[in-house]
């Protein structure tokens, strides 16, 4: 059975990885990532983004710097780059499309 909330979470995680892959080697503040996600899911919130960034950090795919002023800065780890570039198999939890090329 299709779970729309799960699909949304996993899709957002994939787009976070793609956004941060395009922001390499510098990385990006959460505002830029959120603006990108809102291009796909216009109702995406900062809280939702932070929850998925935390998830990706727990999986060692993203490095987060939580600044004292409240802003978050994110960058991909080596594993995150490998997932974004289809070098590694992607475990469940991220809606990475199947590579067809």
């Amino acid at each position: 059975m299709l779970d729309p909330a799960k699909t949304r979470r996993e899709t957002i995680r994939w787009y976070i990885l793609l956004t941060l892959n395009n922001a390499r080697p510098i990385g990006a503040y959460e505002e830029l990532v959120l603006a990108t996600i809102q291009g796909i899911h216009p109702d995406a919130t900062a809280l939702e983004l932070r929850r998925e960034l935390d998830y990706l950090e727990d999986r060692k795919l993203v490095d987060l710097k939580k600044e004292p002023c409240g802003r978050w800065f994110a960058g991909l780890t080596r594993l995150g780059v490998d997932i974004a570039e289809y070098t590694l198999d992607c475990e469940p939890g991220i809606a990475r499309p199947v590579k067809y090329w």
Side-chain angles (χ1 to χ4, degrees):
M1 180 173 230
L2 187 63
D3 181 354
K6 177 182 175 216
T7 301
R8 179 184 171 100
R9 283 192 311 272
E10 293 180 356
T11 301
I12 287 174
R13 292 172 190 157
W14 173 241
Y15 286 116
I16 290 170
L17 292 176
L18 288 181
T19 302
L20 294 176
N21 193 39
N22 282 297
R24 286 191 308 136
I26 298 169
Y29 278 102
E30 62 182 319
E31 293 89 352
L32 178 101
V33 179
L34 181 60
T36 304
I37 299 302
Q38 286 176 333
I40 300 153
H41 297 284
D43 59 339
T45 65
L47 178 63
E48 191 175 21
L49 174 66
R50 284 186 172 192
R51 190 172 42 232
E52 302 316 325
L53 281 169
D54 264 335
Y55 173 87
L56 293 171
E57 184 182 40
D58 288 345
R59 286 186 57 173
K60 312 286 188 229
L61 300 174
V62 169
D63 274 332
L64 288 179
K65 293 181 180 83
K66 299 174 182 176
E67 297 180 351
C69 65
R71 294 176 82 192
W72 287 18
F73 187 84
L76 286 184
T77 63
R78 180 191 65 81
L79 293 175
V81 172
D82 287 342
I83 292 292
E85 294 182 346
Y86 288 83
T87 305
L88 290 178
D89 289 335
C90 186
E91 295 178 10
I94 298 171
R96 183 176 76 172
V98 176
K99 186 175 182 179
Y100 61 89
W101 58 95

